[in-house]
Amino acid sequence: MNEILSGRLTEDKKFTMFFVKFIPKQHIGRFRAGYIHMKNLKIYIDMEKESKEKGIGDKYECSLVLRDVRATWQDNETEEIILKSPLTEVTIFNEDELLTPVFCTYIIDSDNLMIEEETNQDATTKLKISDEEIEKIIDDFGETAVIIQANEFFERLVKASEEKGYVIDAGKVKYYDYSVNQKER
């Protein structure tokens, strides 16, 4: 199990303290009662395609994107090369993954907190986020959010999933520059 959301140090040595889940007001009660709504990856692909804006959606979700590729087509039987062509973009995706349910939250970790005051027993922190970033988040996700203690929530989610026989995976979203080829992708 990936420990990146467990409230312990993550693989990149950041401490996840809170999740912020943006939820329409009418669904907060159900969420607090333990109901978790997830959307599948196809919805996130369609969001960007429909809005034509980068943000919540991602048209490259579950895709391998390659730029400036030289493609060669050949006959499988004779191995004769039929066509060679430069391609500006090749996108390959696994259709089976499109229906994978995803639970998205905004993560508050040690990167976006600034210590204002510290004693031997506790610390006062402030979010390191600009007013412009807050406005963008509100525009993208709405004004209503639930702040969740990360470690407790994740432990309860893992336990409930195991009891129901579900397999879950967790991790922070990794953002890539799709205009260039990257080994990590």
Side-chain angles (χ1 to χ4, degrees):
M1 177 63 58
N2 187 338
E3 292 187 307
I4 200 159
L5 298 181
S6 67
R8 291 182 282 277
L9 284 177
T10 63
E11 63 227 21
D12 54 1
K13 308 298 183 254
K14 295 177 186 134
F15 188 78
T16 301
M17 297 165 60
F18 300 102
F19 301 132
V20 180
K21 180 64 179 167
F22 294 88
I23 301 174
K25 281 183 183 178
Q26 67 268 25
H27 299 304
I28 290 175
R30 285 185 52 81
F31 179 75
R32 293 186 67 200
Y35 293 92
I36 296 177
H37 177 77
M38 297 184 196
K39 294 179 179 170
N40 64 46
L41 293 172
K42 183 172 181 348
I43 288 172
Y44 293 102
I45 294 169
D46 293 344
M47 276 182 191
E48 184 176 344
K49 285 181 179 177
E50 289 170 18
S51 72
K52 307 271 191 275
E53 275 185 51
K54 199 110 181 92
I56 301 171
D58 184 353
K59 68 182 178 184
Y60 293 125
E61 199 72 63
C62 32
S63 297
L64 170 62
V65 180
L66 301 171
R67 301 283 180 184
D68 298 321
V69 176
R70 278 187 247 175
T72 303
W73 285 266
Q74 72 182 56
D75 185 301
N76 284 342
E77 292 177 17
T78 66
E79 296 186 10
E80 176 189 352
I81 294 175
I82 299 167
L83 176 67
K84 286 185 177 185
S85 174
L87 301 172
T88 55
E89 178 183 304
V90 175
T91 306
I92 303 167
F93 69 96
N94 182 343
E95 283 191 33
D96 295 338
E97 292 182 12
L98 292 178
L99 299 180
T100 301
V102 178
F103 179 75
C104 298
T105 65
Y106 185 84
I107 292 179
I108 305 292
D109 63 18
S110 54
D111 263 3
N112 36 26
L113 290 174
M114 177 176 57
I115 296 176
E116 288 196 317
E117 191 177 313
E118 190 172 9
T119 69
N120 287 340
Q121 295 176 344
D122 47 38
T124 303
T125 61
K126 181 178 179 180
L127 274 175
K128 289 191 289 187
I129 187 167
S130 71
D131 290 343
E132 293 81 24
E133 289 172 304
I134 290 172
E135 286 301 318
K136 174 72 172 140
I137 290 169
I138 291 170
D139 287 346
D140 286 348
F141 300 105
E143 294 181 353
T144 309
V146 177
I147 298 174
I148 307 161
Q149 196 281 330
N151 196 40
E152 180 184 336
F153 176 80
F154 190 68
E155 287 174 3
R156 289 173 61 193
L157 181 63
V158 168
K159 182 180 178 204
S161 298
E162 287 173 351
E163 287 172 0
K164 295 199 178 279
Y166 298 142
V167 176
I168 65 170
D169 190 16
K172 282 178 94 172
V173 173
K174 292 182 178 126
Y175 295 98
Y176 296 105
D177 178 358
Y178 288 106
S179 67
V180 295
N181 294 327
Q182 296 171 317
K183 184 171 75 173
E184 299 82 30
R185 261 194 349 247

